[in-house]
Amino acid sequence: MLILGIETSCDETGLALLDSEAGLLAHALHSQVDMHVAYGGVVPELASRDHIRRVLPLLDAVLADAGRTLADVDAIAVTTGPGLAGALLVGASIGHALGYALGKPVLDVHHLEGHLLSPLLAEPAPAFPFVALLVSGGHTQLLAVRDWGRYELLGETLDDAAGEAIDKGARQLGLGFPGGPALQRLAEEGDSGTFDFPVAMTRDPGLDFSFSGLKTAMVYLCRELGEPGVERNRADLAAGYQAAIVDQLVSKLSRALDREEWPAVALGGGVAANGPLRQAVSELCAERGIRLKLVPLPLCTDNAAMIAAASAHTQPFEWPDYLGFDAFATGERQ
Ligand code: KG4
Ligand code: ZN
């Protein structure tokens, strides 16, 4: 079965072809990051307009790359949320149109389920069950993934997502958007011990996260240091801030592993591209003799391969039933 995945939930246009036996045949991505950088964040209307321009050329690219034609596609999987409503509607309408034209079923996929199951794209894929740490610009969650569709939320952020905190801290240091990769590069030149950033929630016995205190600590510290002081200490500030985020993520994951025996851990979402986080989680799993599934780097941020992978257990809808899908901006499906 050949599944065409379409992802347009935010500022990345993704297309992918996944064969249920042979695995991922091709995936293509266009990032709009350069377009939004001047605004310091994603401008929803610009994002939607750009998705419209990109989807069909990217579709051609994945078909050519995989040596397939549209006639080979058996089903179309499309992200219906959460995300920017206008951006999601572009992918959903292309998915509907292709389903209609090809006479093939359409599947609606939850964006977070895509990230959650993206470790299945690793070679070899992890077997169920596993515990997943899902860290993106919009979400920070620890989940028990017991089987297809059987997920249990163990803990989540009470305020900002880890990626959001990273982007805001990076902005304080005058780095562009998104801040994660730039913050990581700057931190490599710094000393994480120079400044005392709070690692939040360590005394809290639960598995929830919080990053707002850390963000505020950065604002105050920058104010105290003044512009020349910040300039002189940028690398140390970046290193300390990044380390506080990584420490919190790893200490909560470690606590989840204390509570229940898990054969495997999976790390996914855009922030899972972070080198020090990958390193710290690898060490934690090695210490405990637990298998670790790192999502391949290009598939950590938003992409359509994970949407096609997550659709494997989703119910296919035939014409005209898939017209009932609606894009949803936040939270749960309506
Ligand atoms: O999953 P994603 O592409 O989009 C959302 O669904 O949010 O995640 C984007 C987030 C951004 O906050 C970005 O700064 C962060 O992932 N990110 C990183 C790195 N690469 C991307 N954070 C830390 N280190 C990185 N290398
Ligand atoms: Zn995402």
Side-chain angles (χ1 to χ4, degrees):
M1 168 131 160
L2 186 66
I3 302 170
L4 170 68
I6 304 176
E7 156 66 40
T8 63
S9 67
C10 189
D11 61 342
E12 243 109 35
T13 318
L15 272 292
L17 280 171
L18 182 83
D19 184 293
S20 43
E21 255 110 72
L24 184 62
L25 301 185
H27 79 106
L29 202 63
H30 174 78
S31 170
Q32 305 174 353
V33 71
D34 293 342
M35 194 175 80
H36 299 292
V37 78
Y39 305 93
V42 178
V43 183
E45 187 180 333
L46 293 181
S48 310
R49 291 179 188 276
D50 200 61
H51 286 309
I52 292 175
R53 278 193 292 272
R54 305 284 173 184
V55 175
L56 295 177
L58 286 177
L59 172 61
D60 274 350
V62 287
L63 287 169
D65 201 11
R68 301 297 177 96
T69 68
L70 267 182
D72 299 325
V73 170
D74 296 305
I76 298 122
V78 56
T79 310
T80 48
L84 302 170
L88 288 161
L89 287 169
V90 175
S93 22
I94 296 266
H96 287 177
L98 286 172
Y100 182 68
L102 301 171
K104 293 291 156 71
V106 182
L107 303 96
D108 67 325
V109 178
H110 194 289
H111 180 79
L112 284 180
E113 198 172 4
H115 279 302
L116 187 61
L117 297 176
S118 59
L120 297 177
L121 294 163
E123 292 280 350
F128 297 112
F130 55 86
V131 67
L133 175 59
L134 188 59
V135 273
S136 75
H139 295 83
T140 299
Q141 299 184 329
L142 262 171
L143 293 120
V145 184
R146 302 198 188 275
D147 205 341
W148 289 110
R150 282 188 56 215
Y151 320 124
E152 188 190 319
L153 185 64
L154 304 175
E156 65 182 333
T157 185
L158 302 177
D159 39 60
D160 287 351
E164 205 179 346
I166 285 174
D167 291 341
K168 287 178 182 166
R171 194 180 311 164
Q172 284 284 315
L173 299 178
L175 301 169
F177 173 85
L183 190 82
Q184 182 183 327
R185 275 195 300 277
L186 184 58
E188 278 160 19
E189 297 156 25
D191 177 353
S192 63
T194 307
F195 296 102
D196 200 16
F197 281 104
V199 177
M201 308 294 280
T202 45
R203 261 174 269 131
D204 173 274
L207 296 176
D208 288 331
F209 304 86
S210 167
F211 298 98
S212 65
L214 176 63
K215 206 179 60 187
T216 312
M218 178 67 120
V219 172
Y220 283 124
L221 200 49
C222 288
R223 220 176 271 170
E224 238 171 72
L225 288 167
E227 231 173 84
V230 171
E231 199 45 48
R232 264 196 317 277
N233 293 286
R234 277 171 90 231
D236 288 352
L237 287 166
Y241 190 78
Q242 177 180 260
I245 290 177
V246 171
D247 281 359
Q248 188 185 156
L249 293 171
V250 173
S251 76
K252 290 301 165 116
L253 173 60
S254 170
R255 197 169 289 170
L257 299 177
D258 288 340
R259 288 194 177 180
E260 192 177 330
E261 237 173 75
W262 289 97
V265 164
L267 182 61
V271 181
N274 184 262
L277 177 63
R278 290 169 92 86
Q279 177 71 24
V281 172
S282 302
E283 283 165 15
L284 176 72
C285 290
E287 270 164 30
R288 292 173 176 252
I290 295 175
R291 282 195 315 278
L292 171 63
K293 280 294 154 195
L294 291 169
V295 177
L297 270 180
L299 302 178
C300 277
T301 48
D302 291 350
N303 66 85
M306 69 183 193
I307 300 305
S311 77
H313 78 109
T314 312
Q315 190 197 339
F317 284 87
E318 302 289 341
W319 167 265
D321 298 343
Y322 51 77
L323 295 181
F325 297 171
D326 201 4
F328 56 101
T330 51
E332 290 312 307
R333 284 186 175 87
Q334 260 108 63

